[in-house]
Amino acid sequence: MTEAEEPAAQADTTQAPITAPAPTDTRTAVPGALDAVIEMGAALLGLARLEAGRAGRGLLWALLFGIAIMVLVASGLLLLVALLLLGFVHASGSLALALVLTILVLIVGVWLLLRGLRRVLRPLTLPATRAELRAVLEPLRSKPPA
């Protein structure tokens, strides 16, 4: 290397000094961040409160519409039973026989509905969980106390 190249080589190997980022004042940064988090939490809580209110109103309307549908279905079934009774009276010529047949049809219908309801409600008793719990507790029950 020549003398002219030495200062150029030295210039290439020197780097600019690394400077640390300016320290932030924690007395102003932390409360500011906490205030931002509190504001965000308050906004989310307000949104959740509005959503819960809207969901409650929706549930109330669904319940009211459900009741209206049930009233319409019940009145339709009542009309169907009345027509059935009228048909039995017309076919048999006897009001007593028509009432007995109508009551019999209603009893069979209610029995079928209750049977179906019992079948639908059976899983709500958690039979698999109860069987597993019995299987776990059985050795404890049969083991004599020490």
Side-chain angles (χ1 to χ4, degrees):
M1 264 196 193
T2 63
E3 289 180 25
E5 292 175 350
E6 277 185 34
Q10 287 177 355
D12 289 339
T13 59
T14 60
Q15 297 177 351
I18 298 174
T19 58
T24 56
D25 188 10
T26 56
R27 289 175 292 183
T28 58
V30 171
L34 287 177
D35 289 340
V37 168
I38 290 172
E39 286 177 19
M40 185 176 60
L44 287 174
L45 189 62
L47 180 63
R49 187 178 22 231
L50 288 173
E51 288 284 318
R54 186 176 296 143
R57 284 189 297 276
L59 184 63
L60 179 64
W61 278 109
L63 182 66
L64 289 175
F65 280 121
I67 290 172
I69 289 170
M70 291 303 295
V71 166
L72 285 174
V73 167
S75 62
L77 288 176
L78 186 61
L79 180 63
L80 183 64
V81 168
L83 287 174
L84 181 67
L85 178 64
L86 184 63
F88 283 154
V89 167
H90 184 61
S92 67
S94 167
L95 180 61
L97 181 62
L99 282 174
V100 168
L101 287 175
T102 304
I103 289 172
L104 227 108
V105 167
L106 289 175
I107 288 173
V108 168
V110 167
W111 178 73
L112 288 173
L113 285 174
L114 288 176
R115 204 170 118 208
L117 183 65
R118 196 173 307 130
R119 187 178 308 130
V120 169
L121 292 179
R122 189 173 298 133
L124 295 179
T125 62
L126 306 173
T129 303
R130 288 175 36 193
E132 184 68 26
L133 189 59
R134 269 193 300 266
V136 168
L137 294 178
E138 188 62 35
L140 297 175
R141 288 184 186 152
S142 62
K143 185 178 181 181

